Amino acid sequence: MSYQNILIATEANIQTITINRPDKLNALNKQTIDELHLALTTAEKNAEVKVIIITGSGQKAFVAGADISEFANFSVEQGKALSADGHKKLFDCVQNITTPVIAAINGFALGGGLELAMSCHIRVASDNAKMGLPEVSLGVIPGYGGTQRLAQLVGKGKAMEMIMTADMISATDALTWGLVNHVVAQDTLVAKCNEIAGKIISKSSVAIASAIRAVNANYTDGVNGFAVEIDEFGKCFGTEDFKEGTTAFLEKRKANFPGK
Ligand code: COA
């Protein structure tokens, strides 16, 4: 499939997926969500891709939300289906993918845009970024995981305030609140994400996949995160990466992980 709304570039084991609807501030319409789903599931199967960076086209927006023009006339059933489909195809997909995903937030991250960033494993924002969940201004609530993931990241009180006021917060406040990991000047955003990706790439991809599953387990209903950690920890002992990592340490050399 050729993509119409996203751009994909892979270099040195880092795949950058750019949402490319700049004239609509990269708003997430159905086709873009479908394309992102396909790109992410394809990347996860590609052993050459060790880190994924998701960003938005242009200098103004990461993603300004779900595409309002697509759902303005939806019924109750259609609204519910829109949310469920988005959760499954994109937001849960990003959270649970075992290839690390970094959000490079290069401007407005609003509604579904912030929800997409919050699904990613790591968030880096440029200093011009503005983040918020403005859905109540439209008479709706965040429907792509925002009510859950924002509270997980910034705490219930701040999440309630952001959602109820619909206010946008600055990159600096997002950093203070723990919503993003780093804030950098816009022209160094790509470099900062590549720097983090470079550190991840040098480590065991098998262990990193286990770590993602274990950390996510704490946020999954009915799953005991400690039990998942014990299981994933044990499984590492059967991997080639573990043998290489421990052998390299004992031989006082740098590990060269096979990723198996
Ligand atoms: N869905 C659909 N189109 C969107 C969009 C969205 N979420 N966000 C922006 N756009 C479109 C605008 O309609 C406009 O298209 P047009 O030129 O064909 O009219 C274009 O993107 C540029 O946006 P504009 O509003 O003119 O830019 P701005 O600089 O004046 O304002 C924002 C920027 C982000 C403050 C403003 O676009 C906005 O509030 N967007 C909606 C945010 C939102 O509510 N998101 C949650 C959706 S659930």
Side-chain angles (χ1 to χ4, degrees), residues 23-25 27 60 64-68 71 108 110-111 134-135 138:
D23 54 331
K24 296 291 173 193
L25 304 186
K60 190 169 170 183
D67 192 320
I68 298 165
F71 62 73
F108 288 115
L110 303 175
E135 283 86 348
L138 300 167

